Amino acid sequence: MTQADLISPARFLARLPVNFSRVPRMLRGLYYAGIRNREKTLSLAWALERTSQLHPERPAVMDETRNLNYRQFNAWANRLAWALKADGVKHGSVVAVMLENRLEQLALLAALAKLGAVGALLNTTQRGKVLTHSLNLAKPAFFAIGEELVEAFTEVRGDVQGAERPCYWLADRDTLQDAGSAPSGWVNLAQRTVGQSEVNLPDSQQVRLKDPCFYIYTSGTTGMPKASITSHGKWIKAYGGFGHAGLALQNTDVLYLTLPLYHSNAVTVSWGSALAGGAALAVRRKFSASAFWKDVAYYNATCFGYIGELCRYLLNQPVCPEEKNNSLTCMIGNGLRPSIWNEFKTRFEVQRITEFYASSEGNIGFTNVFNFDNTVGYSPATFAIVGYDLDNDRPVRNAKGFLEKTSQGQPGLLISEISKKWPFDGYTDPAKSEAAILRNVFKKGDAWYNTGDLMRNIGCKHAQFVDRLGDTFRWKGENVSTTEVESLLGAFPGVEDAVVYGVEIPETNGRCGMAALRLSAGAQLDPQALAQYLDQEMPAYAAPLFIRLLTEVETTGTFKYKKTDLKQVAYDPAQTQDPLLVRLPGSDSFEPVCSLTYGKIQTASYRF
């Protein structure tokens, strides 16, 4: 963090005039974000039907071959909903949904929302035991599977409770034109919609803010995934906070979306933002850095939904003709690192970066409403950033047993008060939900949600993301943020991906840094230049001592790094064929780790 990142009252007030034209949308957004009455009948279905009434002929969803307006899309969702209702899907029914990014998935989720049913959004990359676990965790009464994922589902079907009944099948094609022929024993959902009514269902008027909308799974970078509950209330808060107050798209805008539709960034943040303004959602099956700007031009996209890694992939691409004078004016997402923020904004001429902070299970969100740089933005929720003891992995309590807030600019644990206005929906497993709650925080009897993330208060209810607690380690008596080190390594010439984690060295305290790097095609790592760069860019305690060179970096379906296996192998050459490097004490360069060097490190022959 630099001093320029702090937001003083004077700096905040100076930014207000340029946002005056957005005040009506911002106020509307704050209204939706602040509704306390959880019995109120507002939902994703309400938002879609309202937008369809306001902008019936404007584009709603599109892909490479299709462009449906809001009237057509809402009618499609209604046909699906009536068909599902006839089969017994009702308010509270859980339906497992396994489709890749297709318009069919959006229509299906809209149909479920109209019925008050819950879509369990399965990660399409899961297989085997992990997929079995995720399916059984949701206890679905119905299953809707895309043709492209039937094989993965069939492999585990025998171990999934309730999956012995006929399941819905959707052909991997434009099912509006050709429903295809379902395999024996499957129900062709597209055929079931033929002849169904296109009128809005009365059921949608009974869906309340407190009702679950989606089950969204944690990425499972460690352990088995958990299913978090996204209520319609949480979706409406995103619709207001991100859609109205944050982006404020209009019905002439197109939001380009390549993020997986089983993730909150896609189905809650991006879709909610489009619906809030009557904008169109252009969906791509999978992200492609090389095709990105061609797609932007094809759709005349004005906005895109991002996560930080996608931005770095785009920066690493060579300049192409389509990026010049492109149509993008804004973007919404999270994880854009300060080290590339200005470079990205300048190179691609993006005017507004609506960075946000939120989690599928949490009760708090930040949005960069006022378009400051290097911040996750502002939150209307009641939050605090408190001291955290990394050595003992727990918040710091004072002599009276309460937590204490950190000073401005200092990192600490972000917590959010649980109240009627800011409820905590948590997970499907009550024990998991209780484990995420801190009690007796500032007074006896209060309850706060533990985000598990380190943040900085930078002033005027704005915050800056620091790191996830599991991704922070301590070395030489100092706390090291893996996110910040990854960001700096990513700026070193030739580095395409950087994954940083802490590893133990015998007879030392804490964990030192290790970085797994993937280089650009044709790039060679200069060990001495890297050591010199680390010396210049970061303090000695933060600089990685070990390097592992990877040909591929394993990530989750939402582009989060999988660090568990990397940590287990650490710098042991017997456990990997990947090149390993170490910077020994007093050296100005990195050198290979052979079995002899590894043995000396293990016997503490070197004084790190």
Side-chain angles (χ1 to χ4, degrees):
M1 186 197 73
T2 66
Q3 195 66 24
D5 292 336
L6 295 175
I7 301 173
S8 65
R11 187 180 174 211
F12 179 75
L13 290 172
R15 184 60 62 92
L16 292 181
V18 298
N19 287 282
F20 279 159
S21 63
R22 303 177 62 247
V23 167
R25 291 289 297 274
M26 291 169 70
L27 291 176
R28 187 183 303 174
L30 289 174
Y31 164 74
Y32 288 125
I35 295 174
R36 297 189 186 202
N37 180 10
R38 303 248 297 163
E39 297 291 335
K40 194 172 182 68
T41 53
L42 287 177
S43 64
L44 188 162
W46 166 86
L48 173 59
E49 291 171 7
R50 177 180 184 274
T51 306
S52 300
Q53 185 177 30
L54 292 173
H55 312 286
E57 303 306 317
R58 297 301 305 172
V61 293
M62 54 182 77
D63 62 13
E64 295 90 341
T65 59
R66 294 178 284 182
N67 187 331
L68 303 180
N69 63 34
Y70 271 101
R71 176 181 52 79
Q72 294 168 324
F73 180 71
N74 188 57
W76 184 14
N78 283 335
R79 293 195 300 272
L80 280 164
W82 284 110
L84 292 167
K85 183 177 182 178
D87 289 343
V89 180
K90 59 185 178 181
H91 193 285
S93 296
V94 177
V95 181
V97 177
M98 278 185 69
L99 288 91
E100 291 184 349
N101 274 28
R102 300 201 269 138
L103 302 193
E104 279 74 11
Q105 180 162 355
L106 290 171
L108 176 57
L109 296 181
L112 295 178
K114 286 170 177 282
L115 294 169
V118 187
L121 309 186
L122 275 300
N123 183 323
T124 57
T125 66
Q126 290 182 356
R127 297 292 185 271
K129 291 182 179 179
V130 177
L131 179 57
T132 303
H133 165 84
S134 295
L135 286 163
N136 286 328
L137 193 61
K139 298 180 174 62
F142 301 87
F143 300 79
I145 314 297
E147 180 183 7
E148 66 275 20
L149 291 167
V150 163
E151 183 179 351
F153 178 74
T154 302
E155 288 177 357
V156 303
R157 188 171 181 177
D159 297 320
V160 176
Q161 300 168 14
E164 66 280 356
R165 65 172 64 89
C167 299
Y168 291 118
W169 176 90
L170 279 163
D172 188 9
R173 65 190 67 169
D174 179 358
T175 59
L176 288 171
Q177 299 297 323
D178 181 3
S181 298
S184 177
W186 289 78
V187 177
N188 191 324
L189 183 54
Q191 285 185 349
R192 290 281 294 112
T193 66
V194 176
Q196 296 289 348
S197 172
E198 295 185 349
V199 176
N200 290 333
L201 291 82
D203 307 63
S204 62
Q205 299 174 25
Q206 307 302 317
V207 184
R208 300 158 296 181
L209 290 174
K210 72 177 184 181
D211 294 328
C213 182
F214 306 128
Y215 289 161
I216 293 181
Y217 294 85
T218 60
S219 56
T221 51
T222 59
M224 287 292 189
K226 300 187 289 288
S228 64
I229 303 169
T230 296
S231 65
H232 284 277
K234 187 178 225 180
W235 193 94
I236 288 291
K237 284 182 187 295
Y239 166 86
F242 301 134
H244 284 294
L247 271 183
L249 297 177
Q250 306 293 328
N251 66 9
T252 53
D253 285 304
V254 176
L255 195 160
Y256 175 55
L257 182 66
T258 67
L259 299 173
L261 288 172
Y262 56 74
H263 194 269
S264 275
N265 281 24
V267 292
T268 300
V269 177
S270 295
W271 197 12
S273 295
L275 283 170
L281 201 64
V283 177
R284 182 182 174 88
R285 186 74 70 109
K286 292 181 181 179
F287 172 77
S288 168
S290 59
F292 182 88
W293 294 109
K294 293 182 177 67
D295 281 355
V296 167
Y298 176 77
Y299 294 114
N300 196 29
T302 55
C303 181
F304 83 103
Y306 73 88
I307 60 172
E309 291 310 302
L310 302 191
C311 296
R312 193 162 53 77
Y313 295 154
L314 291 174
L315 274 178
N316 286 338
Q317 288 289 303
V319 175
C320 66
E322 292 84 1
E323 75 180 60
K324 297 298 183 183
N325 301 312
N326 67 76
S327 57
L328 287 181
T329 61
C330 59
M331 50 198 273
I332 186 165
N334 62 348
L336 183 60
R337 296 174 179 177
S339 63
I340 66 170
W341 185 297
N342 287 327
E343 182 184 0
F344 191 93
K345 194 174 182 180
T346 301
R347 173 176 166 180
F348 301 125
E349 301 174 333
V350 178
Q351 299 165 20
R352 174 177 291 274
I353 297 179
T354 308
E355 175 86 1
F356 72 86
Y357 168 88
S359 63
S360 302
E361 69 278 11
N363 70 333
I364 185 171
F366 289 78
T367 313
N368 191 16
V369 173
F370 300 103
N371 201 24
F372 286 106
D373 290 332
N374 300 327
T375 175
V376 297
Y378 163 89
S379 177
T382 305
F383 70 90
I385 296 175
V386 298
Y388 195 83
D389 182 352
L390 286 168
D391 287 335
N392 295 300
D393 195 25
R394 64 189 180 193
V396 177
R397 291 190 180 265
N398 60 23
K400 294 183 179 180
F402 298 125
L403 306 190
E404 293 185 345
K405 298 178 182 179
T406 59
S407 56
Q408 188 180 88
Q410 295 301 309
L413 173 68
L414 173 68
I415 60 175
S416 177
E417 187 175 27
I418 299 172
S419 63
K420 288 184 178 179
K421 187 174 182 179
W422 304 103
F424 173 56
D425 294 318
Y427 303 98
T428 54
D429 183 344
K432 300 290 186 185
S433 297
E434 182 59 33
I437 298 174
L438 293 171
R439 300 189 183 277
N440 304 317
V441 172
F442 297 115
K443 61 183 179 181
K444 289 186 176 180
D446 65 357
W448 294 65
Y449 168 62
N450 177 358
T451 67
D453 291 325
L454 296 178
M455 303 276 268
R456 292 187 184 96
N457 178 358
I458 59 174
C460 297
K461 294 206 78 176
H462 282 66
Q464 188 177 77
F465 182 81
V466 176
D467 214 343
R468 303 195 183 281
L469 278 174
D471 289 338
T472 302
F473 58 89
R474 192 170 178 84
W475 180 243
K476 301 297 184 183
E478 300 286 350
N479 301 327
V480 181
S481 163
T482 60
T483 301
E484 293 180 353
V485 178
E486 286 168 353
S487 178
L488 289 167
L489 280 169
F492 185 73
V495 173
E496 190 80 12
D497 279 296
V499 188
V500 175
Y501 43 98
V503 295
E504 291 183 285
I505 298 176
E507 297 189 30
T508 63
N509 294 322
R511 296 173 184 269
C512 74
M514 182 166 183
L517 306 178
R518 181 174 72 89
L519 303 180
S520 305
Q524 297 290 323
L525 185 69
D526 184 330
Q528 190 166 15
L530 176 60
Q532 184 179 8
Y533 173 79
L534 294 175
D535 290 344
Q536 292 172 345
E537 296 296 326
M538 63 187 76
Y541 65 82
L545 297 182
F546 295 93
I547 301 293
R548 178 175 174 179
L549 298 179
L550 303 176
T551 54
E552 293 292 335
V553 172
E554 190 176 9
T555 62
T556 67
T558 52
F559 303 97
K560 294 179 181 177
Y561 294 129
K562 291 186 176 182
K563 299 186 179 183
T564 303
D565 291 343
L566 294 173
K567 290 178 181 178
Q568 289 175 348
V569 172
Y571 49 89
D572 184 355
Q575 295 193 53
T576 179
Q577 297 298 312
D578 294 331
L580 296 168
L581 304 173
V582 60
R583 187 176 183 182
L584 295 173
S587 174
D588 62 356
S589 182
F590 286 87
E591 62 183 70
V593 179
C594 61
S595 57
L596 180 61
T597 303
Y598 178 77
K600 289 184 176 181
I601 294 171
Q602 294 303 103
T603 56
S605 297
Y606 299 109
R607 304 292 294 177
F608 285 93

